[in-house]
Amino acid sequence: MSKEDLEDEGATSFQKTYEKYRRDIIPALPSHNLPENKEETNEEDEAYQKTYEKYRDILPTLPKEKGWLTEYLFQYQGFWLSPGAVKATMLVQHYFRAQPTDIFAATPPKSGTTWLRALIFATMNRTQFELSTHPLLTTNPHGCFPYLETFICEDGSISNLDTFPCPRLFSTHIPYSLLPAESMTGVSGCTFVYLCRNPKDVLVSKWIFININKSRHKQLPALSLEEAFELFCQGTSHYGSFWEHVLGYWKASLENPKKILFLKYEDLKNEPLVYVKRLAEFLGKPFTPEEERNGDVEEIVRLCSFENLSSLEINKHGEHRFNSEYVVNNRDFFRKGQVGDWKNYLTDEMVKRIDQITEEKLYGSGLRFGA
Ligand code: A3P
């Protein structure tokens, strides 16, 4: 059976999402070869099928727990993942061909992925686009470069990825320890910008996203805040435990500061100019004194701000299709964009418990989140 037979429906709808990326974004970038839908090689097809079969065999054997978006999460190599994320992670481990120049926006879900994607895209390509016609004015940040997990599951060919402009930009939620060590992590691996956030805000953002925004599978009953809280505290949350996810990237950033820039949402909110300059430097594209004098840093901060992005037509009325089943209204990527909204949702008891877990888990690591 070919990969197309296995994944036909998903691939078709997914390709629609990335048509815009291929058609509008890539040609405007430097050093590009416009990706074609290349014929897959037999070798590639075989490698995909082998992994897919492995995934199909392994999934029923994995420990499972109540899920957030999907009915169940499965524990794969120490982390709780949806079935799609298990498959994507296995494909990344056994099938993806990383390039040392690849840049990843890595996040735990609901930690500011949308913002980070916009900032990286705008910073890296700042000489390519006029502000008045910038792609972020007409494309949701999730459409500006691929989300590795859905791309590898749905696109149909990794050789398409080989033709993307260098450096290739990707977004991922995959925990650091699950990424292939030989090609992606370590001193000779890829570059990561990691953005995380106070766990209490992550929990609230995530709970609201799955319930109010109907992202949770339609046949499943709503997940109460109490249930979500329990699951989160146990570490049973998508791509979690949250604390293990954060610690994985934190420790790696200490070992390899040139490869991993570790950022916190709260810091970015407080001092966006400082951190956007740091981001540009880290990515090898420091702002020149002239750019600074011209206010280019301020412009990027403004372009990517919650207030600007959430007020754009595309983000008020458009939608983003992650795969055949999972479509998100763009407006749902933008809720409040504030620090500390958890105060409006969590009881004193909940706060006490989650703070205690955070303290215990992060003890001795040197990492802290503000209250
Ligand atoms: P809230 O639900 O607390 O408002 P992700 O992008 O990882 O899904 O994270 C979503 C969170 O980031 C949401 O938080 C959302 O409002 C916030 N967000 C989205 N775009 C943002 C931006 N440009 N600046 C700051 N926060 C943003």
Side-chain angles (χ1 to χ4, degrees):
M1 200 199 277
S2 79
K3 186 166 81 182
E4 280 70 27
D5 294 331
L6 296 168
E7 301 294 336
D8 199 24
E9 210 185 301
T12 314
S13 65
F14 178 80
Q15 272 157 9
K16 276 189 202 144
T17 300
Y18 275 95
E19 254 164 41
K20 190 170 159 60
Y21 173 67
R22 293 198 174 95
R23 194 188 57 226
D24 299 344
I25 309 260
I26 293 183
L29 301 176
S31 69
H32 76 274
N33 300 307
L34 187 63
E36 299 150 11
N37 281 322
K38 278 193 185 173
E39 279 295 305
E40 250 172 276
T41 62
N42 286 341
E43 222 176 279
E44 223 180 77
D45 201 27
E46 262 173 42
Y48 181 98
Q49 281 193 52
K50 248 190 181 162
T51 310
Y52 182 84
E53 278 156 25
K54 225 186 205 170
Y55 154 76
R56 237 183 12 197
D57 293 344
I58 202 179
L59 194 71
T61 71
L62 298 176
K64 65 179 182 183
E65 265 288 0
K66 194 170 190 164
W68 292 64
L69 292 168
T70 50
E71 186 172 13
Y72 295 110
L73 287 177
F74 293 83
Q75 195 181 42
Y76 178 69
Q77 299 183 346
F79 288 87
W80 292 96
L81 308 176
S82 68
V86 173
K87 180 173 144 197
T89 302
M90 292 179 75
L91 284 167
V92 170
Q93 291 175 335
H94 303 295
Y95 177 65
F96 178 56
R97 291 195 295 258
Q99 296 175 4
T101 46
D102 289 344
I103 295 172
F104 286 85
T107 49
K110 307 318 292 174
S111 298
T113 318
T114 316
W115 191 16
L116 181 63
R117 274 170 165 272
L119 287 171
I120 292 180
F121 181 79
T123 303
M124 288 299 288
N125 299 304
R126 63 183 184 270
T127 53
Q128 253 54 56
F129 302 115
E130 293 291 327
L131 263 190
S132 57
T133 53
H134 200 284
L136 278 167
L137 300 176
T138 48
T139 308
N140 176 268
H142 291 272
C144 283
F145 55 88
Y147 171 43
L148 182 62
E149 286 89 307
T150 44
F151 205 97
I152 200 145
C153 280
E154 309 265 348
D155 181 57
S157 170
I158 47 165
S159 48
N160 277 338
L161 292 176
D162 293 342
T163 63
F164 281 13
C166 178
R168 302 184 304 181
L169 304 180
F170 294 105
S171 154
T172 187
H173 293 313
I174 298 179
Y176 193 75
S177 63
L178 266 52
L179 295 170
E182 331 73 60
S183 55
M184 285 185 74
T185 63
V187 209
S188 53
C190 308
T191 296
F192 293 84
V193 181
Y194 186 73
L195 180 65
C196 60
R197 188 182 191 190
N198 186 311
K200 293 180 294 236
D201 276 333
V202 173
L203 164 65
V204 167
S205 181
K206 194 163 167 150
W207 174 68
I208 294 177
F209 183 77
I210 61 150
N211 278 325
I212 301 193
N213 303 322
K214 314 251 184 318
S215 292
R216 192 164 150 85
H217 274 197
K218 288 175 187 52
Q219 71 275 18
L220 299 175
L223 193 69
S224 70
L225 179 57
E226 289 69 24
E227 281 174 297
F229 177 78
E230 252 335 294
L231 292 170
F232 192 85
C233 287
Q234 285 163 22
T236 322
S237 68
H238 198 22
Y239 287 98
S241 123
F242 167 83
W243 296 275
E244 301 305 329
H245 200 289
V246 170
L247 278 172
Y249 278 92
W250 171 249
K251 287 178 185 159
S253 76
L254 297 179
E255 282 162 20
N256 242 324
K258 289 204 173 121
K259 288 288 178 182
I260 303 169
L261 177 67
F262 190 97
L263 299 174
K264 289 190 250 176
Y265 183 96
E266 296 76 16
D267 294 340
L268 204 49
K269 265 286 195 198
N270 275 341
E271 296 183 290
L273 295 174
V274 170
Y275 285 96
V276 169
K277 278 198 256 178
R278 194 169 294 175
L279 174 73
E281 247 172 68
F282 175 77
L283 294 175
K285 294 236 173 195
F287 287 93
T288 62
E290 195 190 343
E291 283 180 313
E292 292 206 21
R293 272 196 306 278
N294 286 346
D296 292 4
V297 192
E298 283 85 349
E299 277 181 358
I300 288 183
V301 167
R302 202 164 33 242
L303 173 69
C304 302
S305 68
F306 181 89
E307 292 68 26
N308 183 53
L309 291 181
S310 61
S311 70
L312 298 171
E313 213 40 38
I314 181 70
N315 293 326
K316 285 203 282 193
H317 302 297
E319 60 178 32
H320 185 74
R321 183 175 289 277
F322 283 97
N323 61 31
S324 55
E325 290 164 13
Y326 190 37
V327 182
V328 175
N329 289 324
N330 288 343
R331 65 171 179 271
D332 296 340
F333 293 118
F334 305 92
R335 192 181 64 92
K336 285 191 180 170
Q338 291 169 3
V339 172
D341 190 42
W342 57 264
K343 292 184 184 119
N344 297 316
Y345 293 88
L346 304 184
T347 63
D348 290 348
E349 210 174 303
M350 285 171 162
V351 172
K352 203 169 152 201
R353 177 151 165 228
I354 204 165
D355 280 348
Q356 196 178 343
I357 296 173
T358 304
E359 200 163 322
E360 281 168 16
K361 295 274 186 190
L362 303 188
Y363 181 76
S365 69
L367 175 62
R368 290 188 70 80
F369 289 101

